[in-house]
């Protein structure tokens, strides 16, 4: 597979690259996509370096799988373009989560939902995804009717 990572220089994108390398994902090539600000920047990928590429109609050709974690507005613009160019997009942003024609998939919980994709597959936010890994077996075994969940996430702001 020719795999692209959109948002490769961000915290999540760099972690995705680390995991792909650690797990020896069967990629013929991994392409780190980033903004023009990072174009050409060398990133570590396993024992080698790979250079950041800016997404364009030309650079997105021949990508088989795109893992997108560059933020909602970037995903809104580029995920459909990658899908149209033939990639299956696995989107980690909030943008595609509530679109009726985009399956929301948690690996190991509802894998079969990914079969009905039209080029883009979304995943829920981090707290929901982790929760589903624990709750799905309980639901299958005993049935859950209702959950009331609260999560507290950190917030910060720059001081002036």
């Amino acid at each position: 597979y020719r795999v692209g990572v959109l948002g490769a220089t961000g915290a999540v994108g760099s972690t995705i690259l680390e995991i792909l390398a650690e797990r020896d994902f069967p990629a013929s090539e991994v392409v780190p996509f980033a903004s023009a600000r990072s174009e050409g920047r060398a990133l570590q990928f396993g024992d080698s370096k790979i250079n950041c590429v800016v997404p364009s109609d030309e650079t997105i050709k021949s990508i088989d799988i795109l893992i997108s974690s560059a933020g909602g507005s970037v995903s809104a613009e580029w995920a459909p373009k990658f899908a149209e160019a033939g990639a299956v997009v696995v989107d980690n942003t909030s943008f595609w989560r509530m679109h009726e024609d985009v399956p929301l998939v948690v690996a190991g919980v509802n894998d079969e939902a990914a079969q009905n994709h039209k080029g883009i597959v979304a995943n829920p936010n981090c707290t929901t995804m982790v929760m589903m890994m624990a709750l799905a077996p309980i639901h299958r075994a005993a049935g859950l009717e209702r959950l009331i969940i609260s999560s507290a996430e950190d917030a910060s702001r720059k001081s002036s």
Side-chain angles (χ1 to χ4, degrees), residues 36 112 142 152:
E112 69 284 351

Side-chain angles (χ1 to χ4, degrees), residues 6-19:
L6 184 61
T9 58
V12 175
S14 61
T15 301
I16 290 167
L17 289 172
E18 286 175 23
I19 291 170

Side-chain angles (χ1 to χ4, degrees), residues 151-158:
S151 72
E153 298 186 30
D154 65 357
S156 64
R157 65 183 191 137
K158 293 180 182 179

Side-chain angles (χ1 to χ4, degrees), residues 121-142:
V121 175
N123 62 254
N125 74 11
C126 53
T127 55
T128 301
M129 192 170 332
V130 171
M131 235 184 328
M132 290 302 99
M133 298 297 288
L135 292 175
I138 295 168
H139 177 64
R140 289 183 188 123

Side-chain angles (χ1 to χ4, degrees), residues 74-108:
V74 174
S75 186
E77 177 183 357
W78 284 101
K81 292 177 182 180
F82 275 95
E84 196 173 291
V88 173
V89 177
V90 179
D91 189 70
N92 190 41
T93 74
S94 61
F95 186 81
W96 297 102
R97 290 179 183 153
M98 302 304 286
H99 285 72
E100 283 188 31
D101 60 338
V102 176
L104 190 63
V105 178
V106 176

